[in-house]
Every structure is written in C-alpha cells, then in structure tokens.
Amino acid sequence: MAKIIYVDHEGTERAIEATNGESVMETAIKNSIPGIDADCGGACACATCHVYVDDAFMEKVGKPEDMEQSMLDFAENVQENSRLSCQISVSDELDGLRVTTPESQH
Amino acid sequence: MDLSSSKSIVIIGGGQAAAQACASLRLFGFEGDITLIGEEAALPYQRPPLSKAYMKGELAEERLYFKPEAWYQDQNIDTVLSVRATKIDRSAQTVELEHGGTVSYDALIIATGSRPRALPVEGADLDGVFDLRDLADVERIRPRMIAGQKLVIVGAGYIGLEAAAVARQMGLEVTVLEMEERVLARVTSPVMSEFFEAEHTRQGASIRTGARLASLGGADGKVTTAVLADGSELAADMVLVGIGILPNVELAEEAGITCANGIVTDRDARTDDPRVFAAGDCAARPLVHYGRNGRLESVHNAIEQGKLAAAAIMGKPRPPEDCPWFWSDQYDLKLQIAGLSQDYDETVVRGDIEARKFAVFYLQNGKLIAVDAINSPPEFLASKKLIMTGARLAPETLSDTSQSMKEIAAAAV
Ligand SMILES: Cc1cc2nc3c(=O)[nH]c(=O)nc-3n(C[C@H](O)[C@H](O)[C@H](O)COP(=O)(O)OP(=O)(O)OC[C@H]3O[C@@H](n4cnc5c(N)ncnc54)[C@H](O)[C@@H]3O)c2cc1C
Ligand code: FES
C-alpha cells in the first residue's frame, strides 16, 4: 500500500490509498480524480493521462521508456517532470508520491 | 428538446459507451435517477485487454473494470445486470425487461454495442469453438491456452491477429485462416498487410490467406478439425472466430427508430426521436472530418459518443469531436491508427519497415486522411491533429525523416 497525493490544477489535494501493482492512472480513475481521461485504459496509446511528478519523487519514479517519451513530446504543456500516469506502477517505494494533474488533457 | 430537467435516464447496455455516459451525466450535474441495464453479469469493463494482456494472463480481472462497484453506489446509479432489455415503448417512454418489469425514462441512451458475426459453417457449435467478445468468452478460452495445443483462428482482423500473437507467445501452434488475399484486407493498405503477415510468420504462426473454411469436424462433440473449401484438413484443439461484428440495432429498429448499418444519430448522438440517443458500436454517426456518416468500432468512438449524449441531454456545449483513432498491440508492435483510410488514393511510407518502426500515411487529393503508425507515436499524434485541420502534405515531405514530425506539422497548411 502507498498513499498517493493528487493535486489538481487549482491546488486542491486528494490523498488516496493505492494498491501496489496498479498504476497511478488506474488509482486516479477509480477514485474520480479530475484531470485525467485515460481513454486507452493504460495501453500507452492515447497520452490522455499526463501528470506532473513532484520533484522529490522524480528519481524513485524513474525515467519514461522510449514509447512513453515520444508520446509525451506531443502532450500539451510538457515539462521536465511530465509522465504518463498509466506507466507509473504503485509500490511501497512511492508512498507519499505527489502528482499534479493538468486542467485538461487536450 | 431540453432534457436537462429529466428525472430519470435509462441506459441500455453496460459497456464502454454506457460507462462513459454514466460518468459524464454526473460530471455535467445530472442529479436524477440513472438506470443502467446490462445483459452481461459484469459491471462495465474494458474489452481491448481481452485479446491482449488479459488473454495472456498478465492482467488481473479487477483491472478490467472502469469503476469499482462502490462508485456506482456513491453515484447513485442503479445497475441492473444479467438482464436484457427486450423492448422500447417510445410513446409510454418505457423500456421492458426480459424477466418482466419496465423502467420509465425521460431520456434514453442505447449503448448496446455489437455482437460477433456467427460462423456460417457446419460444426460451428462444437465444443472448443469460441467467439472473442466478452469476459465470459475469455474465461472459456483461457484454460485451453496451453503450449503445444493447436489453435485455428478464423479471420485475420485485428482481434484475430492479436489473439494469434498472444497464443504464439504462450507456445500454441497457431494457424490463421483468411478468406481474402491478404490479412487486415478490409482495414488497411497492402503495405501494412504484408508487414503483419511477415511478422506473424516470423513469430511462427501459419497465415493462410485466400483460405475459405468449409466446415468444422469433431469427435464426441469436441472440435478436432477444420476443413477448407479446397478439401484440405487442419487439426484443431480450439477454434477462435473473428470474422467481424454486427451492430445491436434490433431494439431501436423494432421501436421505429431510423437505422442504416447502425442506429442513425446526429452530431449530438441523438436519434430521430429527440428523447433517444445512441452511442458506441451500435450507432452510425456523422464523421465530421470526412463529410459522411459511418459506424465506428473503437474505444475512442464509444467514449466520445457517451460524452456527446450526456452533454446534449444536460444542455452543455458539444464536447470536441476528435479525429477517430484506434490501436492494436501484437507481440512488441504497437499499431496506432488515426483517421479513416477507406477512400485514400495515395500512400506514403515514412521510416524503416525492416526496423519495425514506420508509418503509412493515407492521402486523398493531397489531403492527409489517415495514418497507420508502427512503434511511431509522433507520426500518430501529429497526424491526429493534421487530419482535423484538413492539412495538405507533399509525399516527399512526409517521407523525409530528416525533418521531425513536429517540424512537418508546424510547416503544414
Ligand atoms: C477483443 C476485443 C479487442 C478490442 N480491442 C480494441 C482496441 O485495441 N482499441 C480500440 O479502440 N477498440 C478495441 N475494441 C473495440 C471496443 O472495445 C469497442 O468498440 C467498445 O467496447 C464499444 O463499446 P460499446 O459500449 O459500444 O459496446 P460494448 O462494449 O460491446 O457494450 C455493449 C453492452 O451492451 C450489452 N447489451 C446489448 N444488448 C443489450 C440489451 N438488449 N439489453 C441489455 N444489455 C445489452 C452487451 O451485452 C454489452 O455488454 C476491441 C473489442 C474487442 C471485442
Ligand atoms: S491511459 Fe492512454 S496513454 Fe496512459
């Protein structure tokens, strides 16, 4: 179990107890976190699950793989700390992870 | 017709479009009753993994569901499962249910999806012959996915080829039978067909194009052979059928709602009855970027029409109508498709087919109308936008890999 903190574009925080092995995207969708569409359901095919990872967790979360990176290059408002949340798998390591969701995925 | 003060909204069907409609209705502020009537026992779930990770046993069942059961309770959505809707009475504004009882609606969303086309040959009802559409189908198939077993797949569409890839990766002996002269004949260009055929062959599947299945033979009620029209026979422990789908339009048709290869809707997913909407595989909608109507079979389409219907009911501005898109995963190949390629007059290849990282662009009178991108997200994502703007692109620009897709998109008019 790990606690994930979702911060929406207005700064509102929601802390969710996430299940290990599920993705940061799935946890968000099951808990109706706003700002994530995740149209492809985690297939790394749609780039509508873009989030910003808190700097303190950048290392633990790791670098995106090639496919994800090239999808991210085309997302709106990409930053250094951008990730596709369907590609981040929840584990004990990530307890306390903060991610910010954009206003919209388009 | 303003339906935003509706007290009761009924959704027939419990799939992708229905789940989206539920979520969007609540998001758009609907506070009345929502009743979802689903024939399957399961809450709405994702179908794409059924022929991919879930079939392979790499994804737990609970990860297929869009929302947990608690969400439907929290959102006060009444899910009536394992129950078929049998009739729509438009003058009484009710839906009749299979085991008796009716539900009244102020607005109705038909999201009945589609069903597999039945295999029109003798022996199709033998044990070991399966469709690949529902969770229940995969529950029957999975225990038989054993290395060394002989699997015959009828139909080389996306679902058939995805199943072939999974089965090969699990060590089954796989033969794919396709009536047409090439795989994916109805949905892609010869270049792509050739690529996928070579890939499956390299992975050890036997792809037999121009092969018509004549009948299935069995012993003790179990399938054992596939007999082709030329008289040849193949041993089979299991047969998967993937020869296309038929839209579930009968309820609408019997209620007098206009259907033409799908329940006909306007841009707001509204049928010719202003209180009745249709969304997903069952609907034929205006394809705004193509100037015609059509029925799409994709996740994107189901999500978008679910949103369109909810927005129209709640009197919200029409959500964006995106360029149609689709994906397919086979082995380590990710195919991403943007647009509809049917009416192309020219194809352009960009990238390296040998390196399994390339895209085929489809042009019509110089205008980009679609792309099939293999392990190439930039080509897919850039094209999605270019198609919507009606961009004209020179073939020599598209194929020039010294320019990035970002640069090409920025220069496009
Ligand atoms: C194996 C497989 C793999 C796929 N892979 C991809 C992919 O990679 N990418 C992609 O974009 N798309 C893919 N698709 C297509 C995509 O899943 C469908 O387009 C999408 O599910 C359509 O959603 P829908 O809500 O219209 O219909 P469905 O999801 O089919 O839902 C319709 C539901 O309505 C129920 N129903 C029907 N009639 C009645 C009735 N009278 N009363 C009550 N309930 C009824 C049905 O039982 C069903 O549960 C795939 C489909 C399959 C089967
Ligand atoms: S959910 Fe589609 S890319 Fe993450």
Side-chain angles (χ1 to χ4, degrees), chain A residues 26 29-30 32 43 45 73, chain B residues 63 67 71 334 336 406:
Chain A
E26 286 173 287
I29 295 293
K30 294 200 167 158
S32 303
D73 289 343
Chain B
R63 296 181 70 183
K67 299 283 188 187
W71 181 84
K334 178 167 294 293
Q336 290 168 294
K406 278 218 153 137

Side-chain angles (χ1 to χ4, degrees), chain A residues 39-40 43, chain B residues 11-19 36-40 42 44-52 66 80 82-87 95-97 110-116 132-134 138 158-159 162 245 248 251 279-283 296-303 305 325-329 335:
Chain A
D39 287 351
C40 76
Chain B
I11 302 172
I12 307 179
Q16 180 106 37
L36 178 149
I37 304 160
E39 190 180 359
E40 290 182 68
Y45 60 90
Q46 312 177 53
R47 293 187 196 280
L50 297 185
S51 51
K52 307 180 184 77
F66 296 111
V80 182
S82 303
V83 172
R84 197 180 157 72
T86 48
K87 191 182 167 189
V95 175
E96 287 178 17
L97 306 181
I110 307 174
T112 45
S114 54
R115 60 179 180 276
L132 183 41
R133 177 79 198 169
D134 294 342
V138 185
Y158 290 118
I159 291 176
E162 285 178 355
I245 58 172
N248 291 325
L251 274 184
D281 282 8
C282 66
L296 303 178
E297 301 162 3
S298 71
V299 163
H300 154 252
N301 176 64
I303 292 176
Q305 282 193 302
W325 65 273
F326 185 81
W327 79 94
S328 173
D329 296 330
L335 166 65

Side-chain angles (χ1 to χ4, degrees), chain B residues 107-348:
Chain B
L108 174 69
I109 302 175
I110 307 174
T112 45
S114 54
R115 60 179 180 276
R117 201 181 276 279
L119 191 62
V121 304
E122 200 190 308
D125 54 354
L126 286 164
D127 180 36
V129 182
F130 302 106
D131 293 322
L132 183 41
R133 177 79 198 169
D134 294 342
L135 199 46
D137 293 328
V138 185
E139 296 313 315
R140 287 185 283 265
I141 293 166
R142 277 219 308 207
R144 303 183 189 223
M145 297 286 283
I146 299 165
Q149 290 279 296
K150 293 183 178 61
L151 169 65
V152 172
I153 296 175
V154 188
Y158 290 118
I159 291 176
L161 291 185
E162 285 178 355
V166 169
R168 276 308 299 149
Q169 287 169 311
M170 295 176 79
L172 282 80
E173 283 182 35
V174 178
T175 305
V176 181
L177 301 177
E178 170 56 57
M179 225 161 67
E180 304 281 338
E181 288 309 315
R182 57 187 177 94
V183 304
L184 301 171
R186 276 174 302 261
V187 287
T188 195
S189 56
V191 197
M192 272 293 162
S193 296
E194 199 181 305
F195 170 76
F196 276 106
E197 190 169 331
E199 186 64 24
H200 281 276
T201 306
R202 195 171 71 80
Q203 299 278 4
S206 162
I207 306 284
R208 310 213 12 200
T209 53
R212 184 186 286 271
L213 180 72
S215 66
L216 295 171
D220 304 327
K222 251 188 96 323
V223 72
T224 53
T225 50
V227 184
L228 305 193
D230 66 8
S232 59
E233 284 192 18
L234 288 169
D237 298 309
M238 172 159 70
V239 174
L240 293 186
V241 183
I243 55 172
I245 58 172
L246 297 170
N248 291 325
V249 298
E250 290 75 7
L251 274 184
E253 220 163 42
E254 285 157 18
I257 294 166
T258 303
C259 296
N261 178 34
I263 306 167
V264 176
T265 74
D266 66 10
R267 288 176 69 179
D268 294 316
R270 205 185 284 257
T271 68
D272 55 7
D273 179 330
R275 288 183 186 277
V276 181
F277 297 76
D281 282 8
C282 66
R285 62 179 291 189
L287 303 169
V288 289
H289 310 293
Y290 296 88
R292 61 181 168 91
N293 266 42
R295 199 173 58 73
L296 303 178
E297 301 162 3
S298 71
V299 163
H300 154 252
N301 176 64
I303 292 176
E304 189 167 285
Q305 282 193 302
K307 286 184 192 166
L308 287 165
I313 291 170
M314 294 307 292
K316 298 285 176 194
R318 182 186 293 143
E321 294 153 284
D322 206 353
C323 167
W325 65 273
F326 185 81
W327 79 94
S328 173
D329 296 330
Q330 297 167 42
Y331 309 105
D332 57 343
L333 300 172
K334 178 167 294 293
L335 166 65
Q336 290 168 294
I337 303 173
L340 305 171
S341 62
Q342 274 94 328
D343 302 318
Y344 71 88
D345 51 33
E346 189 174 3
T347 59
V348 181

Side-chain angles (χ1 to χ4, degrees), chain B residues 20-74:
Chain B
Q20 184 63 49
C22 288
S24 294
L25 281 168
R26 289 297 185 226
L27 189 72
F28 293 142
F30 180 66
E31 287 175 349
D33 296 339
I34 300 179
T35 309
L36 178 149
I37 304 160
E39 190 180 359
E40 290 182 68
L43 283 169
Y45 60 90
Q46 312 177 53
R47 293 187 196 280
L50 297 185
S51 51
K52 307 180 184 77
Y54 185 71
M55 188 181 202
K56 214 171 156 189
E58 286 176 351
L59 194 74
E61 183 190 325
E62 62 263 25
R63 296 181 70 183
L64 293 176
Y65 296 97
F66 296 111
K67 299 283 188 187
E69 200 169 348
W71 181 84
Y72 294 90
Q73 283 157 14
D74 288 350

